[in-house]
Each structure stands twice: as structure tokens, then as C-alpha cells.
């Protein structure tokens, strides 16, 4: 029986008392193959978002060094060493099990190379996806964690002050910029209202003055008409 627990095979060799019952195990090659495919699919989705946002012409984050650094770190992932102390010939990174980078930055899987690695060195392939610690030697989870930590928030000391870099720093920068824009918009609205009120008052004053001039003109016209009659 090999379908009760994944990777575990139970072999029953007899029913009589004293007959041996053997427990063996099989490598979950199908699950590992699916894990590689799922990783590549997820990676490509993230890469598509980054490519759009960091596009040199239309990307909202095209001038954000932290976003472009994240994109570069992800592009280097297939060649990143994920295990240490591996035997000669064993896979130590994603590229060695058939994960390659396409010209557009996406990843693809060479199923032939992956199946060969799963057949010949299943333990080494499994180690690539095992949980561990450190940027290298801890499997894909540790490598992704290192990239995430570097991208999200790093702290450096500049002139005695602790500064945030990474996407947290970018977020703070954009939040401050948004606040400035909001304040500027509010000031423009206030100035526009004040200018409108001032123009309205000036127009009203001008209109009253014009009315006064017209009244004077009418009076003069009437006076001249009277003079002409008298003459």
C-alpha cells in the first residue's frame, strides 16, 4: 500500500503470526515536480507586476531604486546557491534542476532536466525546498526570506541617524510626498476661493463706478440738451 501517506509504502508479506511487515518510503517526486512548477508560476506573476511598475517609460516605480533592486534580486534567484555541502554533481540551485530564465525575465522549467534530477538525486532536489536558515544553505524559503527582508526594510546609520531604506523607506517617502501634494491642493483651493472673492469685490466696485459714470454722463447729456434748447 503506497497511497495512505505520501512518501510512505507499507508492504504486507503474509497473514501468519511472525511474518514480517516492512515499512519503506518513496520520494514524493510528483509533489516536488509540482512544487517547482508552482514556484515558477508564482515567480512569473510577481515578475510581471514588477516589470509593469518599473517600466522605464510608464512604470509608477520606474525611478524607485528599491523596487528595481528587488527585481534584480529576483532575477538572480535561479543561480543562487540554496544548499551547501552537497555532493559533487548534486543540484545546488534552481538552474541545476531545469529552471531557466527567459529573455523576457520570466522563468520556465525544462521538464526533462527536472525529471532527471528527481530520478538521479531526489534527496538533493528535496533539500532545495527544505526549510533552513541563512541566505544560502537554507533552501528556497531562506533565499526568498533574505530577498524579502532586504526589499522590505533595511536600516542604515547616516550621520548618526538611523535611516530606513528598502520599500519601507519608499513608502515613507511617497506618503510624505502625498501629504505635500494634498497640502498644496488645499492651498490652491483656498487661494482660488480668496482670489475669486477678491475679483468679485473688484468687479462689484468697478460696476458701481461704471454706473456712477453713466449717471454723470446722463446728467451732462440732459444739461447740454437744455443748453441747446435755450440757445
Amino acid at each position: 500500500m503506497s497511497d495512505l501517506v505520501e512518501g510512505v509504502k507499507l508492504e504486507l508479506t503474509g497473514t501468519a503470526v511472525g511474518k514480517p511487515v516492512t515499512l519503506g518510503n518513496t520520494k514524493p517526486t510528483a509533489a516536488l515536480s509540482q512544487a517547482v512548477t508552482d514556484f515558477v508560476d508564482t515567480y512569473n506573476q510577481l515578475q510581471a507586476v514588477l516589470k509593469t511598475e518599473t517600466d522605464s517609460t510608464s512604470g509608477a516605480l520606474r525611478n524607485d531604486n528599491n523596487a528595481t533592486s528587488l527585481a534584480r534580486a529576483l532575477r538572480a534567484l535561479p543561480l543562487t546557491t540554496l544548499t551547501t555541502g552537497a555532493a559533487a554533481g548534486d543540484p545546488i540551485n534552481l538552474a541545476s534542476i531545469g529552471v531557466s530564465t527567459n529573455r523576457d525575465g520570466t522563468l520556465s522549467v525544462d521538464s526533462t532536466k527536472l525529471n532527471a534530477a528527481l530520478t538521479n538525486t531526489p534527496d538533493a532536489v528535496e533539500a532545495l525546498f527544505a526549510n533552513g536558515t541563512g541566505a544560502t544553505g537554507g533552501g528556497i524559503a531562506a533565499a526568498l526570506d533574505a530577498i524579502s527582508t532586504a526589499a522590505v526594510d533595511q536600516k542604515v546609520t547616516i550621520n548618526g541617524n538611523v535611516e530606513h531604506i528598502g520599500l519601507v523607506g519608499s513608502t515613507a517617502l511617497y506618503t510624505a510626498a502625498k501629504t505635500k501634494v494634498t497640502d498644496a491642493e488645499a492651498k490652491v483651493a483656498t487661494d482660488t476661493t480668496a482670489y475669486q472673492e477678491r475679483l468679485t469685490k473688484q468687479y462689484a466696485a468697478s460696476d458701481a463706478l461704471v454706473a456712477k459714470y453713466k449717471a454723470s454722463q446722463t446728467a451732462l447729456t440732459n444739461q447740454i440738451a437744455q443748453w441747446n434748447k435755450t440757445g
Side-chain angles (χ1 to χ4, degrees):
M1 293 179 287
S2 59
D3 60 349
L4 297 178
V5 179
E6 185 175 2
V8 176
K9 179 180 179 181
L10 178 62
E11 183 179 354
L12 304 178
T13 59
T15 58
V17 177
K19 290 289 184 178
V21 176
T22 304
L23 286 177
N25 65 80
T26 58
K27 291 296 179 184
T29 55
L32 286 172
S33 179
Q34 186 62 49
V36 175
T37 300
D38 290 344
F39 168 78
V40 168
D41 289 342
T42 303
Y43 177 99
N44 288 341
Q45 292 173 17
L46 176 58
Q47 194 65 270
V49 173
L50 282 172
K51 185 176 182 180
T52 298
E53 297 301 327
T54 58
D55 183 270
S56 60
T57 302
S58 59
L61 300 176
R62 61 184 178 276
N63 295 321
D64 191 299
N65 292 331
N66 297 312
T68 53
S69 294
L70 172 59
R72 284 195 299 271
L74 286 173
R75 286 196 296 269
L77 188 57
L79 295 177
T80 299
T81 299
L82 303 178
T83 58
T84 55
D90 280 358
I92 59 173
N93 53 35
L94 294 176
S96 57
I97 61 172
V99 178
S100 58
T101 304
N102 303 315
R103 296 184 66 178
D104 63 356
T106 59
L107 298 183
S108 60
V109 182
D110 183 337
S111 58
T112 300
K113 189 172 183 178
L114 175 59
N115 289 334
L118 288 171
T119 299
N120 299 325
T121 55
D123 290 336
V125 175
E126 188 174 2
L128 298 179
F129 293 88
N131 291 326
T133 58
T136 61
I140 190 67
L144 289 173
D145 184 62
I147 292 174
S148 175
T149 299
V152 172
D153 188 18
Q154 293 188 66
K155 297 177 181 179
V156 296
T157 302
I158 302 176
N159 297 327
N161 298 318
V162 177
E163 301 287 345
H164 291 270
I165 60 176
L167 295 180
V168 167
S170 294
T171 300
L173 178 64
Y174 297 140
T175 299
K178 181 180 178 181
T179 300
K180 289 182 179 179
V181 170
T182 301
D183 292 344
E185 289 177 343
K187 187 176 186 305
V188 168
T190 300
D191 290 348
T192 300
T193 300
Y195 185 58
Q196 184 178 15
E197 291 176 352
R198 185 166 63 253
L199 286 179
T200 299
K201 291 178 180 179
Q202 290 176 348
Y203 175 78
S206 297
D207 189 54
L209 186 59
V210 169
K212 184 177 180 180
Y213 287 154
K214 286 184 177 180
S216 298
Q217 183 182 20
T218 299
L220 287 172
T221 300
N222 292 336
Q223 183 63 53
I224 292 172
Q226 290 296 325
W227 289 341
N228 288 336
K229 286 180 181 180
T230 302

